Amino acid sequence: MLKVRLTRLGAKKEPVYRVVVVNSTSKRDGKPIEELGHYNPKTKAMKLDVESAKAWIKKGAQPTKMVAFLIANANEDGSLNYKKPESVKLSKKAQAKAKAAEEAKAQAAEAPAEEAPAEEAKAE
């Protein structure tokens, strides 16, 4: 079975990857059948032959999750169309704190609404 996956290059803590078509039983850095492009996760720079990648997938090669993401988000010229996530993922502690603050705000908004009819009843 063939896979379209990443092969690691670069120095320690400075990864650069090549997108390659390789036999699924070969090593991570084994000899590829074909090189389709390269990807740098630090700078988000990518050059990919999208047509060739889609042709290999059509022939039955299985892309890894990361390669499937890269192919799906590639421009026509093979560069990466990277969009920075707009929402910030909060930790569980921060989520609980935000939820508590939201509930307190909701209770504070409801409390004056409940007191107002009581004051009107006293005024009559």
Side-chain angles (χ1 to χ4, degrees):
M1 184 168 134
L2 295 177
K3 286 214 167 239
V4 183
R5 65 183 183 200
L6 299 174
T7 298
R8 191 180 193 283
L9 302 169
K12 182 178 178 183
K13 297 190 178 182
E14 291 293 329
V16 178
Y17 296 96
R18 282 194 187 141
V19 182
V20 296
V21 178
V22 69
N23 188 355
S24 64
T25 58
S26 67
K27 298 177 183 177
R28 179 192 74 185
D29 296 333
K31 185 177 178 184
I33 296 169
E34 183 181 351
E35 290 184 10
L36 304 175
H38 57 84
Y39 169 63
N40 185 341
K42 295 259 184 173
T43 62
K44 305 293 186 224
M46 180 178 77
K47 185 69 180 163
L48 179 65
D49 186 358
V50 180
E51 293 176 11
S52 182
K54 288 182 178 178
W56 276 105
I57 292 170
K58 196 176 260 187
K59 291 177 189 176
Q62 298 293 316
T64 60
K65 285 182 183 179
M66 189 64 203
V67 172
F69 172 82
L70 293 175
I71 293 170
N73 292 307
N75 293 328
E76 291 179 14
D77 64 343
S79 61
L80 183 63
N81 185 16
Y82 180 71
K83 295 179 184 173
K84 201 168 189 177
E86 293 180 18
S87 62
V88 178
K89 190 172 182 181
L90 299 174
S91 66
K92 289 181 181 178
K93 201 175 203 180
Q95 286 176 350
K97 195 173 186 179
K99 188 176 179 182
E102 188 177 299
E103 289 175 358
K105 188 183 256 187
Q107 287 178 354
E110 291 174 7
E114 292 175 4
E115 293 174 10
E119 291 175 11
E120 289 177 12
K122 290 180 184 177
E124 293 175 6

